[in-house]
Amino acid sequence: MGLLTIGAFARAARLTPKALRLYDEQGLLPPAAVDPESGYRYYHPDQLDRARLIARLRDIGMPLADIAAVCRLPPGAAAEAVTAYARKVSADSARRRRLAALLVGQLAEGSTTMSENHHIAVRYAARCDVGAVRKTNEDAGYAGEHLLAVADGMRGPGGDAASAAAIDSCTALDTAGASPADLLTMAAAAVTDADARIRAVGTEEHRPVTTLTAVLRSGSQLALVHVGDTRAYLLRGGDLVPLTRDHTYVQALVDQGKLSPAEAAAHPRRALLTRALGAGSGPVEADLALRTALPGDRYLLCSDGLHAVVAWEALYETLTSRTDPDQAVDRLIELAYAAGAPDNIACVVADVTGQ
Ligand code: MG
């Protein structure tokens, strides 16, 4: 079959000559021949399939460099590459949607709330204990004026380095300099940084992972960031409420109505995480939330070494009866020991006070 002019080929492929010139410049679809005199480009009808594939990949927003890679693949591998791209696009847009929703909430709350009530202080205590059974401690905890954090590292060697890396990525944020408006962005950046650092800790065969639950503070504005099954609770006005939802297999079953919370707590796979830092092939999806701290608030952050073995009533009783954060933390660790302390225990208690 003879060659087609660029105009005829463009019409057959339902593309513009301009698009074809761009594909040529990018090395995606060189013409079959170029007239040395006139510079006219000619295409072979066999090139139509490639032109249509490129056009459809451009329609789904794939960058030209990725399109070149897909075009070099056999059909099965190309299908996988497009699936992976689609998954990344939907994860990216989900993340943007969440950040946008948070920003909308922040803007709706208005600048008044954000600038008021800055005169608060925090009293805090943090303890991390190996427990009665484990030989090593892979949990980590941190408390400071502007940051509270716990992390539970796992998967054997490197679990401790993973939890330490997660906390390290946040400790730079324990400063008075952060503006309330930047808190969420900083929290999200710390998670991305921690995720990358933890991937660097392991090898392809053995990659440790960690959870991270952290609260960043600027004045009375708090940003909560959470991945995994470490938890944050708030005691306010006599009520103890969870601020985080576990990213676990059993929590997903509870959400679907397939397990009761009591069954989940006793489930043999209750520690199986659906999200963790360092896990997965793409960037980790963290839960982010903004909150306003009030004088009188008490925050508890802890690993499952505490919340999986000490009953809610005992947490509540301790948090409401021990006024000093140090004493509260000591008592909570005692309670974990009384329950056998089968796992490492990270525990942070922080009280918000008026200045
Ligand atoms: Mg644990």
Side-chain angles (χ1 to χ4, degrees):
M1 197 181 281
L3 296 179
L4 300 173
T5 63
I6 188 167
F9 186 80
R11 273 191 303 281
R14 297 178 185 230
L15 289 165
T16 61
K18 188 177 165 202
L20 289 173
R21 281 193 288 273
L22 173 70
Y23 299 172
D24 182 19
E25 278 163 24
Q26 300 293 324
L28 293 171
L29 187 69
V34 180
D35 187 306
E37 299 282 308
S38 62
Y40 285 163
R41 297 152 197 245
Y42 296 93
Y43 291 82
H44 195 277
D46 285 352
Q47 292 181 288
L48 277 172
D49 283 347
R50 164 70 66 97
R52 288 177 184 135
L53 173 63
I54 295 169
R56 292 178 70 183
L57 292 170
R58 299 247 310 149
D59 277 347
I60 62 171
M62 188 179 272
L64 289 168
D66 294 354
I67 291 178
V70 170
C71 286
R72 285 193 292 271
L73 297 172
E80 276 173 32
V82 173
T83 306
Y85 171 75
R87 209 176 292 131
K88 182 176 171 298
V89 167
S90 78
D92 283 352
S93 55
R95 190 165 51 247
R96 288 195 190 126
R97 256 199 318 276
R98 275 201 316 282
L99 286 170
L102 287 163
L103 181 59
V104 168
Q106 191 177 0
L107 292 169
E109 207 172 289
S111 54
T112 347
T113 332
M114 285 168 59
S115 58
E116 274 175 6
N117 209 0
H118 271 209
H119 304 294
I120 62 169
V122 181
R123 290 191 313 151
Y124 48 84
R127 236 181 101 182
C128 196
D129 196 291
V130 68
V133 174
R134 299 283 175 90
K135 291 197 166 53
T136 55
N137 196 343
E138 299 184 339
D139 282 7
Y142 179 93
E145 267 293 309
H146 300 92
L147 173 73
L148 311 170
V150 292
D152 181 344
M154 58 203 80
R155 292 204 192 152
D160 53 348
S163 59
I167 301 282
D168 274 0
S169 297
C170 298
T171 48
L173 308 178
D174 188 14
T175 64
S179 87
D182 291 340
L183 274 188
L184 267 184
T185 320
M186 289 166 63
V191 167
T192 308
D193 176 56
D195 196 32
R197 287 169 69 164
I198 292 155
R199 284 162 202 273
V201 169
T203 60
E204 198 58 47
E205 296 78 46
H206 180 82
R207 190 172 271 169
V209 300
T210 184
T211 72
L212 174 67
T213 301
V215 175
L216 252 65
R217 182 176 76 86
S218 171
S220 60
Q221 196 72 35
L222 305 179
L224 175 69
V225 55
H226 168 67
V227 179
D229 69 347
T230 32
R231 290 185 182 174
Y233 298 85
L234 167 63
L235 179 70
R236 175 181 284 176
D239 289 327
L240 181 63
V241 291
L243 300 181
T244 50
R245 176 179 287 265
D246 292 348
H247 298 137
T248 56
Y249 168 70
V250 292
Q251 181 61 48
L253 293 179
V254 171
D255 294 344
Q256 293 162 22
K258 292 179 180 163
L259 275 188
S260 72
E263 286 167 334
H267 198 283
R269 302 182 80 187
R270 63 183 174 274
L272 186 64
L273 298 178
T274 50
R275 283 193 232 169
L277 292 172
S281 50
V284 71
E285 200 179 306
D287 289 346
L288 295 165
L290 277 176
R291 305 195 61 88
T292 303
L294 297 178
D297 282 353
R298 170 168 269 193
Y299 293 85
L300 165 67
L301 274 62
C302 65
S303 62
D304 64 342
L306 181 69
H307 69 69
V309 299
V310 176
W312 177 274
E313 293 75 17
L315 292 183
Y316 180 81
E317 198 278 326
T318 304
L319 291 170
T320 49
S321 64
R322 312 285 160 135
T323 47
D324 182 68
D326 270 310
Q327 286 175 6
V329 165
D330 287 349
R331 177 62 185 154
L332 291 170
I333 303 256
E334 264 176 41
L335 289 171
Y337 268 86
D343 196 359
N344 306 144
I345 310 146
C347 180
V348 170
V349 169
D351 291 335
V352 178
T353 59
Q355 229 170 21

